[in-house]
Amino acid sequence: MILALQALPLLLLIGLLFSGRVAPVPAVLAALAAAIPAAFVSLPGGVGLPGFLGEQILRGAYLALQPMGVVLAGLLFHAAVSEAEASAGATTATPRRIFIATLLLGCFLESVTGFGVGAVFALASLRGMGVIGAPAGAMALLALCLIPWGGLGPGTLLGAALIGLPAQGIASITALPNAVWLLVLGPVLWRLCRAAGLEVPRAEKWVQLGYLLVVGALLVLCHQLMPFEVVDVIATGLPLMFALWRLDPPRDQAAWRQAAQRLGPYALLTAALLLARAVPNPPAWRPFADLPAFPITHVSLVLGAVALLLLARRAGAMVLAQGAIKRGARPALIMLLYVLLARWMGESGATASLAREAAAALGPLAPYAVPPLGLMAGMVTGTNVGSNAAMMPVQYKLGLAAGLPPMLAPGVHNFVGAAGAGMSFAVTAMICGLLADGTKPAALWRLLWPSLVAVLVIGWGAMALLI
C-alpha cells in the first residue's frame, strides 16, 4: 500500500501526459495532489506534513527561479536576433546545406536560445530550400540533439541542483554518449535526405562525419576547460563558422558586414558568458545554505542583460519583449510545478524508497533500467527540465542503490531524457503544426526510429562501459 502511494504521482503524471488528452499544467497539478499522501507516508517520524510542504515550496521556487530565468532571457535574446536570423534568403537544397541547417546551425541556435528554437529555424531553412513534408520535419528535429546544453543548460543545472551534485560533472558524463550519438545522426540524416529525394554522395558523407567528429570531440574536451553552459556554443559554433565560410565565402565588404551583423550577437553573448564565469567570488543571493547560490554572474542574468542590450537597438523593442515574456510564462510555470513535484517526492523519502524497491527487484539489471526510464521521461514531458525534475532524483537513487558511481546514472539519464524530449509528443506536435500539411507525429517517428533505437543502445553501452 505504501509503495503504491509513493509510485502514484509519477504513474499519474506519465499516464496523463502519455494519453495526449491532458495538458502539462493539469497533469503536473494532479501529480502534485497525489504527492501529498506519498510524502505523508514517506516522511520520517517527527516531521509534520504542513511544515514540510511549505518549506519545500519555498526551496523549490528558489531552485526553479534559475532555469525559469534562463528560459525567459533566452526568449528575449531570440526576439532580439530573430530579424537577422530570418533575413537569410531561399537557396537550393544540397546535402551540405541541409547538414549545415540542421546539425550545425540548428544545434547552435538551440544551444543559445533553447525552447525548440533550433528546430523551428532549421525547418524554416529547409522549407526555404524546397524541402517539405515529413522528411523536413524529421530533419528539423535533429537540431535538438544537444538539448542538455540547449538554452545554456537550464535542465542540466536544475537536475544537478535537485540531487546535490555539480552540473559540470554531470554534463561531462552526458557529453560522452551524446558525442557517439552525433556520429549516428549522420547516417540518419542521409536516410532522411533519401526520403526527400536527394542522394548524398559518398565523399560528402565523409565530410559530414568529419564535422560531426569535430563537434563531438569539442563537446567532450571543452568540459575540461570551460563552464558547461557555453560548451555547446563553442562545439557547434566553430565548425559552423568554418562550414559557412567554405560554403559561401564573403566576396565583398557588404557580404562581410552582413555576416558580422548576423553572428555578432552570438559572439557577444559567448564572450559575456565566459567573462562572467571568470569573475572570482561574485556577489550572490543565497537564502538556503545547502542550495546553490544565485550569483549576479548567473547565466540567466548575463543572457538577459545581453538580450536587453540587443533589444534596445530594435524598433518596437517593448512589443518584442512583451511577446517573449508572454511566450515564456507557461513553460516557466510548468518548470516551477515540476520542481515542486521533485522536491516533495525527493525530500520526503518517496523517491529513495521507489529506487530501492526497483533496484532490489531488478538485481544486476538495475543499471540498465536507467536508459529506458530516461527516454520515456523525455518523450512524455517534452523538455529536459521536465525530464530531469520528474526522474533524475529517481535515477540518481536507483544508481546509488545499484552501487553505481554517483555521477553515472544522472549523466546517462541527462543524455537519454534530453534525446527523448527532442522527439517527444509535444515537440513533434509543434513541428507538425508548423508544417501545416497534414503530417502526423507518427510519420516523423517512422523516419526517426533508428535514432531512437540508437539512444537506447548507446545508453546501455554507456552504463556497461562506465560502471
Side-chain angles (χ1 to χ4, degrees):
M1 181 62 180
I2 291 179
L3 187 62
L5 284 174
Q6 291 170 331
L8 181 60
L10 295 179
L11 294 176
L12 190 61
L13 175 66
I14 292 169
L16 291 175
L17 291 175
F18 190 81
S19 72
R21 299 180 181 180
V22 181
V25 170
V28 182
L29 287 174
L32 278 168
I36 295 175
F40 177 73
V41 300
S42 305
L43 284 170
V47 178
L49 181 64
F52 167 80
L53 296 178
E55 182 183 1
Q56 295 309 318
I57 287 174
L58 293 176
R59 288 171 170 264
Y62 170 71
L63 283 177
L65 182 63
Q66 300 184 34
M68 287 163 62
V70 174
V71 168
L72 292 173
L75 290 173
L76 286 172
F77 182 85
H78 173 242
V81 303
S82 57
E83 185 177 45
E85 292 169 355
S87 64
T91 55
T92 302
T94 66
R96 182 68 59 85
R97 291 185 185 278
I98 289 173
F99 173 77
I100 291 174
T102 55
L103 289 174
L104 289 183
L105 179 59
C107 288
F108 176 73
L109 292 173
E110 182 66 19
S111 71
V112 176
T113 59
F115 207 54
V117 167
V120 172
F121 275 89
L123 182 59
S125 297
L126 292 167
R127 295 174 81 169
M129 300 179 204
V131 183
I132 58 175
M139 289 176 186
L141 290 174
L142 298 185
L144 305 181
C145 63
L146 295 173
I147 282 181
W149 300 268
L152 306 178
T156 300
L157 185 67
L158 176 62
L162 287 173
I163 61 176
L165 293 179
Q168 189 77 19
I170 291 175
S172 64
I173 295 291
T174 301
L176 297 170
N178 224 132
V180 176
W181 190 42
L182 275 174
L183 297 177
V184 174
L185 293 183
V188 172
L189 180 60
W190 308 334
R191 180 174 184 266
L192 297 177
C193 286
R194 195 178 308 114
L198 193 66
E199 196 64 37
V200 182
R202 178 175 297 181
E204 175 63 21
K205 291 178 180 178
W206 283 110
V207 171
Q208 293 184 13
L209 282 177
Y211 276 112
L212 293 174
L213 186 62
V214 170
V215 173
L218 288 172
L219 192 68
V220 173
L221 296 175
C222 284
H223 282 92
Q224 313 305 318
L225 305 172
M226 58 188 63
F228 86 94
E229 294 96 334
V230 299
V231 162
D232 192 26
V233 177
I234 302 299
T236 57
L238 294 179
L240 171 64
M241 287 190 290
F242 181 76
L244 289 174
W245 181 80
R246 288 290 305 272
L247 183 69
D248 188 17
R251 303 183 188 282
D252 53 35
Q253 187 175 2
W256 277 107
R257 187 164 53 248
Q258 184 180 17
Q261 183 178 8
R262 189 176 182 192
L263 294 176
Y266 301 100
L268 173 63
L269 176 60
T270 303
L273 289 168
L274 291 173
L275 286 172
R277 286 297 294 262
V279 176
N281 302 316
W285 178 41
R286 191 164 199 166
F288 303 100
D290 57 336
L291 295 180
F294 197 158
I296 62 170
T297 55
H298 189 269
V299 59
S300 62
L301 299 180
V302 176
L303 177 57
V306 173
L308 292 175
L309 178 65
L310 296 171
L311 266 175
R313 302 176 59 188
R314 289 197 57 178
M318 187 61 67
V319 175
L320 290 171
Q322 289 174 346
I325 293 172
K326 185 178 179 179
R327 284 179 59 204
R330 188 176 182 83
L333 173 61
I334 293 171
M335 284 183 182
L336 174 61
L337 296 177
Y338 271 128
V339 174
L340 294 182
L341 177 63
R343 293 296 299 186
W344 284 0
M345 291 289 290
E347 297 304 310
S348 68
T351 296
S353 178
L354 289 173
R356 285 194 299 269
E357 291 295 330
L362 293 170
L365 296 178
Y368 301 99
V370 171
L373 286 175
L375 184 64
M376 178 185 65
M379 292 284 291
V380 170
T381 61
T383 68
N384 194 33
V385 167
S387 170
N388 284 352
M391 288 299 294
M392 186 176 280
V394 178
Q395 301 275 50
Y396 172 59
K397 297 293 186 181
L398 177 62
L400 293 181
L404 302 181
M407 293 281 190
L408 180 54
V412 173
H413 168 82
N414 201 33
F415 159 60
V416 292
M423 294 178 276
S424 65
F425 301 102
V427 173
T428 53
M430 176 189 73
I431 292 297
C432 288
L434 292 173
L435 285 170
D437 59 2
T439 300
K440 302 296 183 185
L444 304 184
W445 290 325
R446 279 196 295 270
L447 291 171
L448 290 170
W449 72 262
S451 178
L452 281 167
V453 172
V455 169
L456 283 175
V457 172
I458 293 169
W460 283 322
M463 297 303 295
L465 293 174
L466 298 176
I467 288 177

